[in-house]
Amino acid sequence: MNPALQKDLQDIENILEQVKQHGIDFLNSIDTVPASTQNTIDTTGNLNDSGIGSLAALEVFKKRLAPLMVSQAGPRYWGFVTGGATPASIAGDWLTTIYDPNAQAVKAQGGVSALVEFETINFLLQLLGLPKSFLGGFVTGATMSNFTSLAVARQWLGKQLGHDFAKEGVTVPLNILTATPHSSSIKCLAMLGIGSQNFTKIKTIEGNREAIDVSDLEQNIKNLKGQPFILISSAATVNTADFDDFTAISKLKEEYNFWWHIDAAFGGFAACSPKYQHLVYGWENADSITIDCHKWLNVPYESAFYLIKEQHKNLQVETFQNSNAPYLGDPLENFNYLNFLPENSRRLKALPVWFSLVAYGKQGFQDIVENSIEMAQQFDAFISQSQNFELLAPTRLNNVCFSLAGDHNQEKVNLFLTHLNDKGKVFMTPTVYQNRKGIRASFVNWRTTELDVKIAIESLKETILEMDFSR
């Protein structure tokens, strides 16, 4: 055995203890760790020949790389709809690394860790109030969840037109309808060979909305004259957390032939709260749903899952099966995730989620969701009452979309946000909404409290005064 490896093996307990303590120190100080950084490092160094061992590498990490790490898991990181890892999810993630399984098969001598995934999906369906008619699995994020779902939708659409796209490739024009899709869905259309520009944009409801205008949707459906299509709809748009009318779409699905996909990356967790679950009424009738776990479920990156109706499992296998690997057997009789989703190699992403669900239960996630929305409303109240800022849209759930007040300040928005983020107290992201430059604050972190909102507000006030961006 390599000498450095041999030494580390003999010292494994001490190594893990040192790493654990470094992690605890970071978590205990996360409230004061900057939410953004201007630090940098020289990335042109040379790799050593013999290695220095884990403990020495840890010391190098502390000196060179740790200063680059921001409090992305902290209570005032409000960018990209990013959650933070809960204690239970950290435990599950550590154990996933230690056991290091390739989570694929449910009945094989090589391991059955995919059964953990089955149980976790079962728990998630209960948490979200969805029927067991959905089959699900874990992928890296919303992009791959959208990709998995839309790939099966593409296969369904091909079959409706008399083609097997998985074998033949896309050989005919396809009809995709959507109103306010997330950029990842459009990226998936590019990756699937459909084309990032090949979709019909449906009107949105009038009155500062991002949701589908159902009347315009139906008119576009009628224009297709019976041709099948894919509908991409939203459970919380990325800027304003707007929801399509799933009850109305369910009624359309009874009359017309289409695949209904819902991007519910973070908005699906509205189902956890009796106050907000009405927003997803009817979503159980969709063919596929995308949901992120590293957002409102607050588990470590990378974690998301797809849900696809069981009735489509043949299409799913046709899309993803390893057809040139006969040793894997019949994909329907000998279930293996590699025949149901893109990756052949998969970390056990289900375990951090399993730990979280078992540790905190339905009430725990109801509390997280409702607290996030309450914090968003408190921040909304400040923006609404300030003469220096204005809301670009109503705060419907957990995203506050706002800007500097007045058209004359539009060219200063990005500069303001840069200076605000540089302070390190809070981190938000830029956006464009209805052709206006804006700022988006996303509340999904389980740690965020009223004090964090107050700290963020004070940082906004300081930045305004320093830059004289008043009316």
Side-chain angles (χ1 to χ4, degrees):
M1 182 181 290
N2 173 271
L5 277 170
Q6 182 70 50
K7 186 175 184 300
D8 275 0
L9 179 60
Q10 294 170 347
D11 201 24
I12 187 66
E13 185 174 351
N14 185 34
I15 292 169
L16 294 182
E17 184 63 36
Q18 293 290 328
V19 172
K20 182 190 78 171
Q21 190 56 55
H22 177 75
I24 290 172
D25 291 344
F26 175 79
L27 291 175
N28 284 342
S29 62
I30 201 167
D31 287 354
T32 58
V33 174
S36 63
T37 182
Q38 300 181 57
N39 291 328
T40 188
I41 58 170
D42 178 5
T43 61
T44 62
N46 296 317
L47 178 66
N48 65 70
D49 290 329
S50 58
I52 60 176
S54 293
L55 289 178
L58 177 61
E59 291 306 311
V60 174
F61 169 82
K62 289 179 181 179
K63 293 177 181 177
R64 295 190 66 246
L65 304 187
L68 299 177
M69 302 300 170
V70 300
S71 59
Q72 186 162 325
R76 294 186 301 281
Y77 191 94
W78 298 349
F80 307 111
V81 200
T82 301
T86 58
S89 70
I90 293 172
D93 201 60
W94 281 9
L95 290 173
T96 299
T97 298
I98 289 168
Y99 285 101
D100 199 24
N102 180 11
Q104 295 287 16
V106 298
K107 48 180 180 180
Q109 289 179 313
V112 293
S113 58
L115 288 174
V116 176
E117 193 157 341
F118 273 32
E119 180 168 275
T120 306
I121 292 294
N122 174 42
F123 288 165
L124 286 165
L125 290 174
Q126 293 176 51
L127 178 72
L128 300 172
L130 286 167
K132 292 186 177 182
S133 54
F134 284 100
L135 295 178
F138 282 82
V139 289
T140 55
T143 301
M144 287 311 298
S145 182
N146 280 327
F147 179 86
T148 303
S149 299
L150 292 173
V152 182
R154 183 190 64 175
Q155 184 70 357
W156 172 87
L157 194 51
K159 288 299 181 76
Q160 303 301 303
L161 300 171
H163 296 276
D164 186 338
F165 289 155
K167 291 181 179 178
E168 304 166 11
V170 179
T171 54
V172 296
L174 305 183
N175 295 308
I176 315 291
L177 306 185
T178 187
T180 315
H182 188 266
S183 60
S184 65
S185 292
I186 304 306
K187 182 177 183 177
C188 290
L189 295 181
M191 293 192 294
L192 289 165
I194 296 171
S196 61
Q197 296 182 343
N198 289 334
F199 64 91
T200 299
K201 192 169 179 60
I202 307 301
K203 292 179 181 178
T204 55
I205 300 171
E206 293 183 3
N208 205 350
R209 296 290 303 277
E210 291 187 295
I212 286 175
D213 182 321
V214 176
S215 297
D216 189 58
L217 172 61
E218 185 163 19
Q219 183 57 55
N220 275 272
I221 294 173
K222 290 178 179 178
N223 293 343
L224 292 175
K225 301 184 184 303
Q227 295 180 61
F229 64 94
I230 297 170
L231 173 66
I232 302 174
S233 66
S234 299
T237 55
V238 70
N239 274 331
T240 69
D242 207 351
F243 285 71
D244 293 330
D245 186 339
F246 300 147
T247 301
I249 295 173
S250 295
K251 292 178 181 177
L252 291 177
K253 197 159 177 22
E254 294 174 1
E255 186 174 353
Y256 300 101
N257 184 32
F258 63 94
W259 180 286
W260 180 16
H261 174 65
I262 299 175
D263 184 337
F266 67 93
F269 289 103
C272 297
S273 168
K275 296 180 182 178
Y276 301 101
Q277 61 187 199
H278 65 278
L279 294 169
V280 293
Y281 283 170
W283 72 328
E284 67 276 4
N285 297 312
D287 294 287
S288 58
I289 302 174
T290 284
I291 300 182
D292 255 334
C293 296
H294 55 237
K295 288 185 168 63
W296 234 338
L297 202 67
N298 282 258
V299 304
Y301 271 101
E302 311 150 333
S303 183
F305 61 102
Y306 64 84
L307 295 172
I308 298 175
K309 283 287 177 62
E310 184 176 9
Q311 69 192 63
H312 301 306
K313 64 182 180 181
N314 286 332
L315 296 171
Q316 199 168 350
V317 170
E318 289 173 7
T319 303
F320 295 114
Q321 67 178 323
N322 283 248
S323 56
N324 63 338
Y327 57 87
L328 297 173
D330 186 331
L332 292 176
E333 291 185 9
N334 184 25
F335 183 91
N336 193 307
Y337 267 114
L338 60 81
N339 289 313
F340 284 80
L341 42 68
E343 299 100 338
N344 279 7
S345 302
R346 304 173 65 241
R347 197 168 187 265
L348 184 56
K349 296 181 181 67
L351 192 57
V353 178
W354 183 94
F355 260 84
S356 299
L357 294 171
V358 172
Y360 308 124
K362 293 181 179 179
Q363 187 62 54
F365 289 101
Q366 177 183 333
D367 290 345
I368 289 173
V369 167
E370 291 181 353
N371 177 71
S372 294
I373 297 171
E374 173 61 26
M375 296 304 101
Q377 290 170 346
Q378 290 186 20
F379 188 66
D380 169 286
F382 163 73
I383 297 296
S384 300
Q385 296 164 15
S386 172
Q387 65 176 357
N388 297 310
F389 302 100
E390 61 179 298
L391 289 172
L392 295 180
T395 300
R396 300 184 178 93
L397 197 69
N398 64 315
N399 280 1
V400 182
C401 189
F402 68 103
S403 188
L404 294 174
D407 291 340
H408 63 289
N409 280 324
Q410 272 289 287
E411 294 307 313
K412 303 173 184 176
V413 172
N414 290 343
L415 181 62
F416 169 81
L417 181 59
T418 298
H419 282 269
L420 175 71
N421 286 339
D422 281 347
K423 289 179 174 294
K425 296 294 185 181
V426 64
F427 180 83
M428 298 180 233
T429 44
T431 191
V432 176
Y433 179 70
Q434 295 188 345
N435 297 317
R436 297 197 69 198
K437 294 179 181 179
I439 300 169
R440 191 189 63 185
S442 297
F443 293 78
V444 287
N445 190 288
W446 64 281
R447 290 176 176 266
T448 307
T449 65
E450 292 184 15
L451 177 59
D452 294 303
V453 175
K454 291 177 181 177
I455 291 172
I457 288 172
E458 288 306 311
S459 192
L460 265 73
K461 290 178 179 178
E462 290 173 8
T463 308
I464 283 287
L465 290 174
E466 291 167 1
M467 304 191 69
D468 191 24
F469 282 170
S470 57
R471 282 183 179 270

